[in-house]
């Protein structure tokens, strides 16, 4: 029996929605067709965040509770009216990515299972000069929403003092985003350098609750993730639906709305009415493009004060003044630490081959964060003497890069647990291998010569 399709007339084009009754948000009963209709209801605002920008497709083909994968290359089977542009990445590879400019194209990618929209900060006609500075506020465990908003206010203050208009939005997840529209006069490295300067200045103003420190062991409060401005990084755009049980949305706000706002109030169910009522709070963003000169001057002052560059993610080319890409505790430990043992049956442990003085154990490697956190709870239940000693920073939840998606690793630092109560490394609560299949394929190729 052929699959059912719903044909929609969108922007003068016929868009087919395959499996329209497939449930994408089980707890709400929202279907794929409901998701498409949501995006069409807020299309003017959603297009404002992605119009003319290359986009990495983050596809949840089995809905919000299923696994996702990133697809950089545009599907070979696509209508002739789907636009693309060729991007090059830090790895040296290139790909033709989708570029969205109208409602029909938007509906088409949502039909592919794109729950949220992840555009690059450049336009297709100028891939070398970003026109967005993105401030991503990432709270550490135990940080409250009010503290996040305090850091957001400080970030706004810094941006506006340096001549940029700050545009706030909820992330639709646990954090908060602030954008600034830029004139297209600066490279990715210069925009990232400006973002580092913002993060450091906010940290100076709010040292108790804000941090620019890249290494998790040094962070506290809210981390201002400057590396979201590195080339090839994307962030969920305005009006993007997030894969949460309540179908939460990344909502653009005015600054008058920020204080006391509740991110749970912005969902697929509420946003269309809000959009119809007040319009798009970010509608004037393109007319507010500003200069980076003042922030780059601030970065220059930081350089002269001895701060230099901040750490880059590991797969980027190292800069001359970048500090070592080694966690500080490992640099201090030198040869005095030890390599923590791997879990039974695994070839690598909590730190790979690196030494550390921290008493680390690995808990889970999982396809999803939810599975990993469930494994952590089972581990805590087996070790009731340990859990009361753990502080939020002792539980490290890391998003790891796989073949075409991310997976989650959880490690626990037992530093605050009395030595007599520290459990040994045990079998992983969840044991997911993101390279399974690829490894077998590689071994087969080696055997076949």
């Amino acid at each position: 029996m052929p699959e059912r399709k719903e044909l929609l007339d969108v922007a003068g084009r016929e868009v087919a929605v395959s499996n329209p009754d497939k449930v994408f948000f089980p707890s709400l009963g929202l279907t794929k067709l409901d998701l498409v209709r949501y995006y069409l209801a807020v299309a003017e605002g959603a297009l404002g965040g992605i119009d003319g920008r290359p986009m990495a497709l983050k596809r949840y083909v089995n809905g919000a509770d299923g696994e996702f994968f990133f697809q950089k290359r545009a599907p070979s089977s696509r209508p002739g009216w789907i636009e693309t542009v060729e991007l090059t990445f830090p790895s040296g590879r290139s790909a033709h990515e989708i570029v969205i400019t109208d409602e029909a194209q938007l509906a088409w990618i949502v039909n592919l299972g794109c729950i949220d929209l992840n555009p690059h900060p450049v336009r297709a006609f100028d891939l070398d000069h970003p026109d967005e500075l993105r401030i991503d506020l990432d709270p550490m465990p135990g940080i409250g929403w009010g503290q996040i908003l305090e850091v957001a206010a400080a970030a706004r203050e810094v941006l506006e003092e340096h001549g940029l208009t700050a545009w706030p939005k909820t992330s639709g997840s646990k954090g908060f985003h602030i954008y600034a529209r830029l004139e297209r006069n600066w490279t990715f490295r210069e925009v990232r350098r400006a973002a580092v300067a913002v993060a450091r200045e906010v940290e100076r103003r709010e040292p108790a609750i804000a941090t620019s420190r890249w290494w998790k062991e040094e962070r506290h409060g809210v981390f201002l993730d400057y590396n979201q401005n590195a080339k090839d990084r994307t962030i969920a755009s305005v009006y993007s639906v997030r894969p949460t049980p309540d179908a939460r949305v990344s909502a653009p706000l005015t600054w008058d709305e920020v204080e006391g706002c509740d991110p749970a109030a912005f969902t697929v169910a509420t946003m269309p009415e809000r959009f119809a009522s007040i319009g798009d709070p970010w509608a004037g963003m393109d007319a507010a493009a500003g200069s980076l000169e003042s922030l780059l001057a601030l970065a220059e002052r930081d350089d002269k004060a001895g701060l230099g560059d901040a750490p880059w993610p590991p797969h980027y080319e190292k800069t001359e003044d970048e500090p070592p890409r080694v966690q500080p505790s490992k640099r201090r430990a030198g040869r005095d630490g030890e390599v923590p043992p791997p879990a039974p049956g695994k070839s690598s442990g909590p730190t790979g081959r690196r030494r550390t003085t921290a008493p680390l154990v690995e808990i889970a490697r999982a396809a999803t964060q939810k599975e990993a956190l469930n494994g952590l709870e089972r581990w805590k239940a087996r070790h009731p003497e340990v859990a009361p000693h753990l502080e939020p920073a002792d539980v490290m939840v890391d998003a790891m890069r796989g073949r075409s998606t991310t997976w989650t690793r959880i490690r626990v630092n037992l530093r605050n647990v009395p030595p007599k109560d520290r459990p040994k490394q045990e079998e992983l609560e969840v044991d997911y291998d993101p390279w399974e299949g690829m490894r077998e394929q590689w071994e087969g190729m080696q055997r076949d010569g």
Side-chain angles (χ1 to χ4, degrees):
M1 181 177 179
E3 67 178 26
R4 189 173 88 80
K5 293 184 178 181
E6 183 89 11
L7 298 179
L8 303 178
D9 183 3
V10 184
R13 296 192 175 104
E14 187 176 78
V15 180
V17 180
S18 58
N19 294 316
D21 302 319
K22 188 170 187 176
V23 176
F24 263 44
F25 291 86
S27 60
L28 301 175
L30 290 177
T31 65
K32 184 200 280 191
L33 184 58
D34 292 328
L35 186 64
V36 173
R37 285 176 171 157
Y38 159 78
Y39 274 111
L40 292 178
V42 298
E44 184 180 353
L47 287 171
I50 64 175
D51 185 29
R53 300 183 185 279
M55 181 182 301
L57 304 180
K58 186 179 179 184
R59 298 180 61 182
Y60 291 81
V61 295
N62 292 313
D65 285 355
E67 295 183 25
F68 70 87
F69 63 93
F70 278 105
Q71 181 173 343
K72 293 186 176 181
R73 288 172 174 78
S76 56
S77 177
R78 61 182 186 271
W81 41 266
I82 293 295
E83 302 173 37
T84 66
V85 68
E86 186 176 15
L87 274 74
T88 57
F89 307 115
S91 64
R93 296 181 179 180
S94 64
H96 284 86
E97 290 197 3
I98 296 288
V99 179
I100 301 300
T101 59
D102 66 27
E103 292 94 332
Q105 296 166 341
L106 174 59
W108 187 81
I109 64 165
V110 176
N111 177 61
L112 295 179
C114 294
I115 291 178
D116 50 17
L117 312 176
N118 293 268
H120 292 270
V122 292
R123 309 280 183 166
F125 59 80
D126 187 354
L127 298 175
D128 296 321
H129 299 96
D131 67 346
E132 286 181 349
L133 174 68
R134 298 172 173 182
I135 306 297
D136 180 14
L137 305 184
D138 184 12
M140 297 297 289
I143 294 301
W145 182 246
Q147 294 169 299
I148 297 172
L149 297 186
E150 286 184 54
V151 177
R156 176 197 184 185
E157 187 177 79
V158 172
L159 289 170
E160 294 187 347
E161 285 178 8
H162 290 273
L164 295 173
T165 303
W167 301 83
K169 74 181 180 77
T170 64
S171 71
S173 183
K174 60 182 180 179
F176 198 83
H177 298 156
I178 304 169
Y179 283 24
R181 178 67 81 240
L182 304 177
E183 300 164 352
R184 286 186 293 274
N185 295 328
W186 294 276
T187 65
F188 274 97
R189 284 189 176 271
E190 289 171 318
V191 174
R192 178 190 173 275
R193 188 173 184 231
V196 172
V198 172
R200 286 172 170 167
E201 181 61 20
V202 173
E203 182 179 37
R204 284 191 283 266
R205 298 184 185 195
E206 299 287 349
I209 56 173
T211 182
S212 65
R213 303 302 180 92
W214 173 251
W215 299 106
K216 285 190 175 181
E217 66 186 41
E218 292 188 313
R219 293 182 196 172
H220 67 278
V222 179
F223 171 52
L224 291 95
D225 190 355
Y226 52 83
N227 272 329
Q228 293 291 10
N229 293 276
K231 188 176 182 179
D232 197 27
R233 290 298 181 100
T234 61
I235 297 179
S237 61
V238 284
Y239 299 97
S240 281
V241 183
R242 308 310 302 275
T244 58
D246 57 353
R248 201 167 293 190
V249 170
S250 181
L253 306 171
T254 66
W255 282 104
D256 287 342
E257 295 178 295
V258 169
E259 185 178 358
C261 73
D262 179 3
F266 309 110
T267 68
V268 166
T270 64
M271 285 299 287
E273 182 179 350
R274 169 182 164 87
F275 185 79
S277 174
I278 70 169
D280 181 14
W282 282 24
M285 190 176 188
D286 283 342
S291 170
L292 273 188
E293 293 294 347
S294 182
L295 279 178
L296 291 176
L298 176 61
E300 185 68 25
R301 292 196 292 274
D302 285 344
D303 286 348
K304 291 179 179 178
L307 292 178
D309 200 357
W312 288 70
H315 57 291
Y316 286 79
E317 181 181 353
K318 199 171 188 302
T319 62
E320 291 183 1
D321 59 344
E322 181 185 349
R325 290 184 183 177
V326 181
Q327 294 181 31
S329 62
K330 296 180 177 63
R331 296 202 298 270
R332 291 193 298 269
R335 302 297 295 179
D336 296 331
E338 61 181 18
V339 179
K346 310 308 293 182
S347 60
S348 63
T351 61
R353 293 174 294 178
R354 295 175 296 189
R355 293 172 177 261
T356 180
T357 57
L360 301 179
V361 291
E362 188 174 14
I363 307 302
R365 303 178 188 181
T368 67
Q369 186 180 88
K370 181 178 179 181
E371 291 175 295
L373 291 174
N374 287 340
L376 174 65
E377 292 307 312
R378 293 194 298 272
W379 181 85
K380 287 181 177 179
R382 280 209 325 278
H383 298 286
E385 74 285 359
V386 172
H389 297 284
L390 297 179
E391 296 181 1
D394 293 336
V395 178
M396 294 167 281
V397 182
D398 301 309
M400 311 293 288
R401 288 179 176 264
R403 286 174 290 176
S404 57
T405 184
T406 58
W407 55 281
T408 300
R409 176 182 68 179
I410 293 184
R411 299 171 296 164
V412 171
N413 190 338
L414 302 173
R415 59 186 173 178
N416 292 311
V417 180
K420 65 181 180 61
D421 293 331
R422 293 175 183 172
K424 301 294 185 182
Q425 177 67 63
E426 302 169 335
E427 289 187 10
L428 298 179
E429 289 291 335
V430 187
D431 189 0
Y432 168 69
D433 182 0
W435 310 108
E436 186 178 5
M438 177 173 283
R439 187 179 292 111
E440 295 171 358
Q441 181 181 5
W442 171 252
E443 291 174 352
M445 293 171 61
Q446 293 289 91
R447 288 195 302 271
D448 295 340

